[in-house]
Amino acid sequence: MIGRIFLSFTLLLSFVYGLNSCRQSKHVPEGSYLLKKNKVIASTDSIDIYDIEEVIKQKPNHKSLAFFKLKLQVYNAIDSAKVANKRAKKNQKIREKNKERKAKNIRINKARMRKAIERGDSLYKPKKLTLKDTLEPRKFFREWLKYEIGEAPVIFDSTLMHRSVDQIEKYLHARGYYDAQVSDSTKLKWGRKIKVIYEIEAGQPYIVDSVYVVGDNLSVLSTYERFKKDPSFQLEAPFIFDTDLLDDQRELIAKDQRDDAKYGFFKSHITFEADTTVGDHKVHLGIVFNERYVKDPEDEEKTKMKKFGTNYVSKVVFHIIDTTYLDKPYKYYTDLYGVGEKKEGYLQTFDTLHFNQYHPIEKESDSIFRIAEFYYNGKLIVEPELIEYCNFLENENYYKEYYLTRSYSRLVEMGIFQSIKPKLIEVPGKNQVEVHYYLVPALKQSFGYETKATNSNGFLGLAASVNYKNKNLFGGGERFTLSFGGGLESQPIVFANSTDGSDQNNGRSLNTFEFGPTAKIEIPGIRPFVHYRKLSKRHYPQTIISTAYSIQQREDFNRQLLQLNYGFKFNVLKKQVVQLGFPLLSSIQYVNLDKTTEFQQRLNDLNDLFLLNTYSDQFIWKDIRATYELTNKAVTKGNFIYYYDAEFDIAGMVLRALTQNAPLNADGYKEFIGVRYSEFIRLDNELKLYQNFKNKRSINFKMNLGAGLPLRNNGTSLPFDYSFFGGGANDNRGWRARSLGPGTYKAYLDSTGTATQAGDIRIGGSMEYRFPLGSSLRGALFCDAGNIWTINEDPNRVGSKFSADWYKQLGIAGGFGLRFDLDFFVIRFDIGIPLRNPALPANARWVWQSRAPINDELLNYYGQDYDTKNIAPFEPRFHLGIGYPF
């Protein structure tokens, strides 16, 4: 059976390929050839073939799916003559329409002129009607499809082929292969196509066998010696004499010099001298450090040499460009002081504040810790010490370029300025730099309306909100946001009526309505404990307090949620963010469920402790809450990006202490304010790795490891909101959302089971290969693996408990997907195929194994009247998502 299917698929693929090949050269003129392929053959593997292909002048049509040239097919499918005729007719209509508009414009203006005369007015306001664009008229659909989405056939040009040979040789010379020789040839292919072959005889590359330094500036040389220990330094002999490598290293060396207080040091101050006469393709390379020339302060028409040295910051000035708080019109001040409206391109300022701050810890010291000047109008919009707190180029400290970058980023993070422009002024005759920041405030308050499509764990929905934002609530950089929003979302039904859970698709309708207000305030510092001025600038600590109330309406129940969060956020170095909850008061969450009579009766009939715990009122008081984020996305210039996120929660300890003498309720649990509270410990980890390649392809990995421990008052499982789930658009795509697991639990043999499965432990991972299919279309091939488990035995879900055989219980899926990247968001379509289903019998878990053991189980459980065809354990699953899965 499998052999016949494979043979049929192969024949169909061959037919499609042949038909595709014939149609590709449909519009190639007689005597010409369609460029089918450029093939590069190199005599050594050390040459990057892809880089060679990039410098070739003429490239074949874009391939979408390995061999299928979709853009060319779109172009060929639409008749050019018909498009041209329709365009000519439309252009004629545009000309006629413009002629009518001109005539109408004349009539309107004559009428206006007549009315002005009748009124006795000597002037009238003429009207000018907008004419339709005749130079670049809007394309109709087929025209847009052919010329914007489609791609014209690439006709082989021998001139471009010969020019490509020259380009390849220049490229190889830059890479150190000065003896390289490149030849070209062509090979005719079936269907009026041609293949171009570039053969490279690379020869022996020139090798730098020694490196020496030329220069007498000890400060520059000592900085260079330290940089040689940096991993990015690549000029340690021997290495190929690659001029592009030398230029990149020159830029890195110059930046390192600027970061070490060498103001004005650029890569132009570094040159190389190469001695290639030593023979045997060896190069002696010299790195020459040159001094710079600046204007002579005594005669600006002349220049003089200025040796690089350690530079210091002599002055820090903040220019707050704002006229909101002036008590008189701005022109009054410009006339009063006899100055123009603008200076340095910005509005003038007339008030000055000299800011001096003593050391916050060494109280007995009389030395000034921080100094800055503020120029403004009327009054400062924010505390001066908060603005200075964002500056790392402090008075009398070393000038380092990365401090300037860090200062700019920190001022942007404040969120109260719409424009930030740093400017450096070198003090003549001294190794000193003045630092000036020109800051234009943004609007303090704003209202907004937001609509969006949502994707929560694979459940799609629509949401809208009305937002109020205040970027500087009390003048201390406090950011306040108040929102009222609501939305519709698809959620799976609770109880599955079908054996395989296929009626879970009923939940794909927008069956959940949720609305409510949220409020959040972000305050600089660790309030109420420590003011930000006493903390390190690098960490930029913030206190974040938020509260939310929401009502969720579903067919089976209404859910009310009241939540309060109180925590602190720290930036650690460049890559790390740490958030900690307020000790013993990190987060408070109260959930009230108003269930229908029918839903409550079904829960009572099943008497499932897991379900009774899940669908009950909950009170969660987190004693400890911590998150940790680590990424190189903001600092890396390479193609490898990583992201790690960890969340840790402890809940119920404070309430345990407060209720230690309280009696147990009828179910054997303690309550707080009349509600049973949760008590658990939970840790969740996620690691993402992204490796990008030069050809806009990438390979991406995601790994998840999480576990929670339900404690005494929590019963046998975690609260629903803190449980783990498997399957869905962002997880294992061979299963519907929240339908995988737990463990080897056989949901298809449980006629009273639920459509949603939750667990206390999750292990999973995904690998995805992404590739371009066009300017805005992306493709992906993926493989997902993972499962969830319970930490305690669940008699209603046999096989769900975590064990030492967990690795034998992983669900595995593969598939492919399409992504439409529309810049502002991504629409994703994925088809996941289960390859290994851990719930099936041991000898029937893989997709290629016999289904007989599955049928036997079904017949034994449901009886002879049951149709085993109702079960499709390896049925492909279609997922629609917003954004990438990870």
Side-chain angles (χ1 to χ4, degrees):
M1 179 67 179
I2 294 178
R4 289 199 302 271
I5 294 175
F6 178 76
L7 178 61
S8 301
F9 179 75
T10 303
L11 291 174
L12 178 62
L13 192 64
S14 301
F15 174 74
V16 172
Y17 178 76
L19 182 64
N20 174 58
S21 299
C22 292
R23 292 181 59 84
Q24 285 180 3
S25 53
K26 176 181 177 181
H27 295 291
V28 175
E30 288 293 331
S32 298
Y33 298 93
L34 177 73
L35 179 60
K36 177 180 174 62
K37 184 180 181 180
N38 291 323
K39 184 175 182 180
V40 179
I41 302 174
S43 61
T44 175
D45 293 336
S46 60
I47 294 176
D48 191 327
I49 297 299
Y50 176 76
D51 284 346
I52 297 292
E53 291 174 344
E54 284 296 297
V55 302
I56 293 175
K57 290 294 184 180
Q58 191 177 35
K59 298 177 177 62
N61 288 97
H62 179 269
K63 290 183 179 180
S64 298
L65 294 170
F67 64 88
F68 191 68
K69 297 182 178 180
L70 179 62
K71 296 169 79 69
L72 176 60
Q73 293 289 6
V74 170
Y75 183 91
N76 288 339
I78 300 174
D79 191 295
S80 301
K82 290 182 179 179
V83 170
N85 290 336
K86 187 171 182 178
R87 170 45 56 200
K89 292 178 181 178
K90 283 188 169 291
N91 287 345
Q92 180 61 33
K93 289 183 179 180
I94 290 174
R95 287 191 290 270
E96 292 174 357
K97 189 70 174 179
N98 285 342
K99 186 176 180 181
E100 292 176 2
R101 290 195 173 193
K102 288 179 181 178
K104 183 179 180 180
N105 208 147
I106 293 173
R107 292 195 302 271
I108 291 173
N109 287 332
K110 283 183 178 179
R112 289 190 173 193
M113 187 184 301
R114 185 177 61 255
K115 290 179 180 179
I117 293 173
E118 291 173 356
R119 292 194 304 267
D121 296 336
S122 59
L123 298 174
Y124 79 100
K125 185 178 181 180
K127 184 178 182 63
K128 186 175 182 180
L129 295 178
T130 303
L131 302 179
K132 289 185 174 293
D133 192 348
T134 56
L135 296 178
E136 295 183 3
R138 190 177 68 178
K139 292 181 174 64
F140 54 90
F141 178 73
R142 283 190 301 155
E143 186 181 29
W144 169 82
L145 191 63
K146 183 178 182 70
Y147 296 109
E148 296 294 331
I149 302 301
E151 182 182 51
V154 178
I155 309 301
F156 169 70
D157 187 335
S158 59
T159 303
L160 294 178
M161 179 180 67
H162 299 321
R163 286 177 58 191
S164 296
V165 171
D166 295 335
Q167 288 297 115
I168 295 173
E169 288 182 345
K170 290 178 181 177
Y171 170 85
L172 293 171
H173 293 169
R175 293 295 181 275
Y177 293 90
Y178 286 92
D179 298 331
Q181 294 182 351
V182 183
S183 61
D184 56 52
S185 61
T186 59
K187 186 176 181 179
L188 296 179
K189 307 293 287 186
W190 178 67
R192 286 192 295 139
K193 298 178 184 178
I194 195 168
K195 178 180 179 181
V196 180
I197 302 169
Y198 298 94
E199 293 190 59
I200 300 172
E201 185 58 46
Q204 185 178 351
Y206 278 76
I207 302 294
V208 176
D209 66 342
S210 64
V211 179
Y212 59 92
V213 176
V214 179
D216 57 2
N217 190 320
L218 297 180
S219 179
V220 170
L221 296 181
S222 64
T223 300
Y224 170 73
E225 287 299 320
R226 286 196 300 271
F227 179 68
K228 288 170 65 176
K229 300 176 184 178
D230 191 280
S232 61
F233 180 77
Q234 299 180 35
L235 299 183
E236 196 71 45
F239 60 90
I240 295 179
F241 184 56
D242 185 332
T243 55
D244 284 350
L245 171 66
L246 297 180
D247 193 61
D248 290 342
Q249 289 291 292
R250 194 167 62 140
E251 181 66 67
L252 290 175
I253 294 170
K255 184 180 184 308
D256 184 71
Q257 294 284 344
R258 296 194 299 273
D259 287 342
D260 196 39
K262 309 298 188 301
Y263 175 79
F265 197 111
F266 299 104
K267 72 175 186 178
S268 58
H269 297 109
I270 303 173
T271 56
F272 296 103
E273 54 185 33
D275 182 3
T276 61
T277 63
V278 293
D280 196 23
H281 290 78
K282 303 295 184 185
V283 179
H284 294 342
L285 181 70
I287 304 176
V288 183
F289 289 96
N290 304 294
E291 300 294 350
R292 66 179 179 140
Y293 287 83
V294 298
K295 288 183 179 180
D296 190 336
E298 298 178 359
D299 188 351
E300 291 192 356
E301 295 183 358
K302 296 181 180 180
T303 59
K304 60 181 294 187
M305 187 183 76
K306 182 175 182 180
K307 292 178 69 67
F308 287 107
T310 301
N311 284 260
Y312 297 86
V313 176
S314 65
K315 182 192 291 187
V316 179
V317 183
F318 295 94
H319 304 262
I320 314 298
I321 313 301
D322 185 33
T323 59
T324 304
Y325 299 106
L326 289 176
D327 54 0
K328 294 181 179 179
Y330 183 71
K331 192 174 185 303
Y332 168 83
Y333 293 92
T334 56
D335 292 343
L336 177 65
Y337 294 105
V339 297
E341 277 199 2
K342 294 185 177 181
K343 183 179 180 181
E344 302 287 346
Y346 291 95
L347 293 176
Q348 295 264 21
T349 53
F350 306 107
D351 296 297
T352 304
L353 171 69
H354 295 277
F355 174 81
N356 300 327
Q357 181 179 320
Y358 293 89
H359 202 288
I361 299 176
E362 300 174 7
K363 296 181 179 180
E364 296 181 359
S365 172
D366 58 355
S367 62
I368 295 176
F369 183 51
R370 293 169 181 162
I371 302 174
E373 294 181 13
F374 289 83
Y375 298 161
Y376 58 99
N377 289 314
K379 71 174 184 178
L380 286 169
I381 64 168
V382 69
E383 297 173 354
E385 59 185 344
L386 179 61
I387 299 179
E388 196 283 329
Y389 186 72
C390 296
N391 172 54
F392 290 84
L393 290 170
E394 296 176 348
N395 186 68
E396 297 185 359
N397 283 351
Y398 293 118
Y399 163 80
K400 297 184 178 183
E401 186 176 78
Y402 70 87
Y403 278 174
L404 181 63
T405 304
R406 189 180 293 178
S407 302
Y408 178 84
S409 299
R410 191 56 52 78
L411 288 166
V412 170
E413 286 178 26
M414 286 182 65
I416 63 176
F417 300 111
Q418 69 172 5
S419 173
I420 301 168
K421 181 182 178 181
K423 183 177 181 180
L424 303 174
I425 301 175
E426 190 173 11
V427 179
K430 298 180 180 180
N431 286 335
Q432 294 181 351
V433 177
E434 291 183 6
V435 182
H436 293 255
Y437 296 97
Y438 291 87
L439 309 174
V440 179
L443 288 175
K444 180 180 178 180
Q445 302 180 78
S446 64
F447 287 90
Y449 177 80
E450 182 181 14
T451 59
K452 61 182 178 180
T454 62
N455 180 18
S456 176
N457 197 32
F459 299 115
L460 302 182
L462 301 172
S465 63
V466 178
N467 309 309
Y468 166 75
K469 294 183 178 180
N470 192 311
K471 300 178 180 179
N472 189 23
L473 185 61
F474 303 119
E478 304 88 356
R479 289 183 290 181
F480 176 73
T481 304
L482 176 64
S483 300
F484 186 88
L488 294 167
E489 188 177 63
S490 62
Q491 289 284 348
I493 59 176
V494 177
F495 294 105
N497 295 319
S498 65
T499 306
D500 65 345
S502 59
D503 60 345
Q504 186 184 10
N505 291 327
N506 296 336
R508 285 304 179 199
S509 62
L510 298 175
N511 61 350
T512 303
F513 175 59
E514 187 170 359
F515 65 96
T518 62
K520 181 174 72 171
I521 186 168
E522 301 168 76
I523 308 169
I526 305 177
R527 304 301 178 92
F529 302 114
V530 186
H531 194 276
Y532 60 81
R533 73 168 71 95
K534 298 182 179 180
L535 299 167
S536 169
K537 288 184 176 183
R538 292 187 305 168
H539 297 160
Y540 191 60
Q542 292 175 282
T543 299
I544 302 175
I545 304 172
S546 64
T547 184
Y549 174 75
S550 67
I551 298 176
Q552 183 187 92
Q553 296 180 346
R554 295 189 58 176
E555 182 180 358
D556 295 321
F557 55 83
N558 290 337
R559 180 176 184 265
Q560 297 182 65
L561 169 67
L562 178 62
Q563 186 166 343
L564 172 66
N565 298 312
Y566 195 146
F568 314 108
K569 179 180 178 181
F570 305 86
N571 294 303
V572 184
L573 302 176
K574 300 178 183 179
K575 306 177 182 180
Q576 305 170 64
V577 176
V578 175
Q579 296 190 60
L580 300 174
F582 192 100
L584 304 181
L585 189 62
S586 298
S587 176
I588 298 175
Q589 182 177 328
Y590 172 69
V591 178
N592 174 258
L593 280 180
D594 182 14
K595 292 162 282 193
T596 64
T597 305
E598 295 80 6
F599 185 70
Q600 183 65 61
Q601 185 62 47
R602 190 159 185 181
L603 290 174
N604 294 337
D605 292 343
L606 291 175
N607 196 29
D608 186 323
L609 293 180
F610 168 77
L611 292 177
L612 290 171
N613 180 50
T614 298
Y615 296 101
S616 63
D617 295 347
Q618 296 179 2
F619 192 91
I620 301 173
W621 184 313
K622 290 186 184 179
D623 313 287
I624 297 176
R625 175 170 58 92
T627 65
Y628 173 76
E629 297 177 27
L630 172 66
T631 181
N632 67 338
K633 186 174 181 179
V635 298
T636 184
K637 291 185 178 180
N639 296 315
F640 178 72
I641 298 174
Y642 60 81
Y643 175 83
Y644 172 70
D645 174 66
E647 298 181 14
F648 179 67
D649 297 302
I650 297 180
M653 302 296 106
V654 169
L655 296 183
R656 168 63 63 177
L658 293 175
T659 61
Q660 60 182 337
N661 297 322
L664 302 177
N665 64 12
D667 297 320
Y669 299 105
K670 292 193 175 184
E671 295 181 345
F672 181 75
I673 60 173
V675 180
R676 171 185 163 192
Y677 60 86
S678 296
E679 190 178 16
F680 63 89
I681 300 174
R682 184 180 185 272
L683 174 64
D684 193 17
N685 300 272
E686 183 173 69
L687 175 64
K688 300 175 185 177
L689 306 173
Y690 306 91
Q691 178 63 59
N692 299 308
F693 302 107
K694 296 178 181 178
N695 51 0
K696 296 183 180 180
R697 288 166 166 78
S698 65
I699 187 166
N700 312 273
F701 299 90
K702 180 183 73 169
M703 287 161 276
N704 294 100
L705 177 62
L709 179 64
L711 300 177
R712 286 177 295 178
N713 214 58
N714 218 83
T716 59
S717 60
L718 292 174
F720 185 78
D721 289 344
Y722 294 90
S723 295
F724 296 100
F725 305 94
N730 298 332
D731 193 71
N732 199 316
R733 284 163 278 186
W735 279 260
R736 290 182 299 272
R738 300 183 179 181
S739 66
L740 174 61
T744 60
Y745 164 62
K746 299 178 183 296
Y748 61 93
L749 295 183
D750 188 352
S751 58
T752 61
T754 62
T756 296
Q757 302 299 333
D760 309 309
I761 299 173
R762 173 179 61 180
I763 298 176
S766 296
M767 178 179 70
E768 186 167 284
Y769 174 64
R770 299 170 186 166
F771 50 91
L773 296 176
S775 58
S776 58
L777 184 62
R778 307 284 186 269
L781 299 173
F782 60 81
C783 181
D784 304 325
N787 206 340
I788 60 171
W789 294 265
T790 61
I791 203 163
N792 297 306
E793 191 68 58
D794 185 347
N796 294 291
R797 296 186 294 174
V798 177
S800 64
K801 185 178 179 181
F802 186 78
S803 69
D805 291 334
W806 64 268
Y807 60 93
K808 299 178 182 179
Q809 301 174 5
L810 297 177
I812 301 175
F816 58 91
L818 294 176
R819 291 93 166 86
F820 293 91
D821 191 342
L822 305 178
D823 292 334
F824 48 95
F825 73 98
V826 175
I827 301 176
R828 172 166 53 93
F829 302 93
D830 285 333
I831 295 179
I833 304 170
L835 302 178
R836 185 179 188 276
N837 190 331
L840 301 177
N843 54 348
R845 289 178 176 172
W846 290 98
V847 65
W848 55 78
Q849 290 180 313
S850 171
R851 287 193 52 177
I854 309 172
N855 295 335
D856 292 341
E857 278 192 336
L858 291 167
L859 292 173
N860 289 336
Y861 183 81
Y862 290 103
Q864 295 296 326
D865 296 334
Y866 182 75
D867 187 357
T868 57
K869 293 181 181 179
N870 290 338
I871 295 296
F874 298 109
E875 180 183 357
R877 305 297 179 190
F878 173 77
H879 298 281
L880 171 64
I882 305 297
Y884 288 101
F886 58 91

